[in-house]
Amino acid sequence: MFVQHRNLLFSVAYRILGTAADAEDAVQDAWLNWSAADRSQVADPKAYLTRIVSNVALERLRSTHRKREAYVGPWLPEPILTSGDTAEAVADAESVSMAMLVVLETLSPLERAVFVLKEVFGFNHAEIAEAVERSEAAVRQAAHRAREHVRARRPRFPADRSHQREVTERFFAAATGGDVNALMELLSPDVTLWTDGGGKVRQALRPVVGAQTVAAWFGAIGGVSYQGVEPADMTAELAEINGGPGIVFGGAGRVIATVTFDFDTDGRITTIHNVANPDKLQAVADGTTRTLGTR
């Protein structure tokens, strides 16, 4: 029964926590709770397990929230490899995108858990109140605050996924070929690059803004060494990351960075998220492809 719902439990925990490692730990804790439970008293195993993993994830998020505030440079979610072109997978992609997870980082831990359970997984207020151990009134208030906050900051996703892939492929070719002019054509004038090295590797500690600056940043990839990897030894491949097209950079037998994109309604790149902190690349390095459904 646990194995049947394991993917759903990871999907809940990952959206609440934003890191695959912490989500896996939350799922493991849920398993320990499930193993010790009197299952003859559990009428709905799926709901019961979801409540457990939500509560565990919320407690983990509270304990890590202060650490993230002291993080060196921008804190970005841990990327994961995903798959799925079904209508259901496309619908689920927005809630697991880097852009949405970044927005969720601006919520309080309680607001984030409530938003994920209500807006993504469709739980009612009473069910959420039981999961997060709060009154139903408190959950309603948190849900309202979170919904308004996300609505004001939510990225606008173009519907045409094929166009996103095409732009990503062109970016890939231009970046690996050092073609700054071609990169400029793909970027919005006020494009913003966020890089996450966590103080472990060399990255920008503040956002890089503007098409010319961002294009120059990526245009230099083919001409400079990075993390001890010479340009000739660096690899790059297209991949689906967090429900959308992205790029995985590697070298010296390891993954060294991932790059994902947000697009405007015209298909131009408005935001780039570049994760290079080695601690956050294990899920991609493992090569595990996930289907983060909501059912």
Side-chain angles (χ1 to χ4, degrees):
M1 184 62 68
F2 183 88
V3 172
Q4 179 182 338
H5 298 301
R6 195 184 194 289
N7 188 63
L8 174 66
L9 301 182
F10 180 88
S11 297
V12 172
Y14 178 72
R15 286 172 171 89
I16 292 176
L17 289 161
T19 72
D22 286 336
E24 288 287 8
D25 287 344
V27 172
Q28 184 63 26
D29 286 349
W31 162 250
L32 294 175
N33 277 274
W34 174 250
S35 299
D38 180 359
R39 300 177 204 174
S40 65
Q41 302 300 311
V42 178
D44 185 343
K46 178 181 176 182
Y48 179 84
L49 286 166
T50 304
R51 285 197 299 271
I52 291 175
V53 83
S54 300
N55 186 265
V56 170
L58 177 57
E59 291 306 312
R60 281 185 170 272
L61 183 60
R62 287 192 177 113
S63 68
T64 61
H65 205 60
R66 189 160 296 180
K67 293 179 183 177
R68 294 183 186 182
E69 291 175 350
Y71 194 77
V72 177
W75 190 97
L76 295 178
E78 183 179 344
I80 54 174
L81 300 175
T82 54
S83 68
D85 277 323
T86 64
E88 181 180 327
V90 171
D92 292 337
E94 179 184 355
S95 68
V96 78
S97 68
M98 275 284 176
M100 179 57 77
L101 293 177
V102 167
V103 171
L104 294 183
E105 276 296 311
T106 62
L107 301 176
S108 72
L110 177 62
E111 289 169 349
R112 180 169 184 164
V114 170
F115 180 87
V116 167
L117 292 173
K118 181 72 172 69
E119 302 297 326
V120 180
F121 292 92
F123 286 87
N124 62 42
H125 292 114
E127 292 170 327
I128 298 171
E130 185 175 358
V132 300
E133 299 178 346
R134 291 290 187 276
S135 69
E136 192 170 337
V139 164
R140 287 183 182 276
Q141 291 176 353
H144 176 74
R145 291 194 304 268
R147 189 164 51 248
E148 292 300 308
H149 187 93
V150 171
R151 184 178 296 157
R153 293 163 178 78
R154 168 178 246 142
R156 299 294 182 261
F157 289 86
D160 191 348
R161 284 168 62 88
S162 64
H163 187 61
Q164 292 182 39
R165 290 194 191 95
E166 178 193 340
V167 173
T168 302
E169 289 168 359
R170 290 170 60 192
F171 183 97
F172 174 84
T176 53
D179 191 337
V180 174
N181 290 330
L183 287 168
M184 290 277 290
E185 293 176 3
L186 303 172
L187 302 174
S188 169
D190 57 352
V191 61
T192 302
L193 164 66
W194 297 86
T195 68
D196 179 347
K200 306 288 181 70
V201 296
R202 187 179 74 250
Q203 287 289 322
L205 297 180
R206 294 180 178 83
V208 179
V209 181
Q212 187 168 355
T213 309
V214 172
W217 175 286
F218 282 99
I221 286 176
V224 295
S225 63
Y226 180 69
Q227 295 187 36
V229 180
E230 294 299 321
D233 299 323
M234 194 175 296
T235 63
E237 60 179 328
L238 294 164
E240 184 180 308
I241 302 173
N242 287 76
I247 303 172
V248 177
F249 289 94
R254 67 185 192 274
V255 173
I256 58 177
T258 63
V259 175
T260 53
F261 308 93
D262 302 342
F263 303 87
D264 63 20
T265 53
D266 295 323
R268 291 180 303 180
I269 297 168
T270 57
T271 309
I272 303 174
H273 295 112
N274 177 14
V275 178
N277 183 344
D279 296 342
K280 293 186 177 182
L281 296 172
Q282 191 58 50
V284 172
D286 287 346
T288 302
T289 300
R290 300 179 183 274
T291 305
L292 295 184
T294 57
R295 293 166 182 80

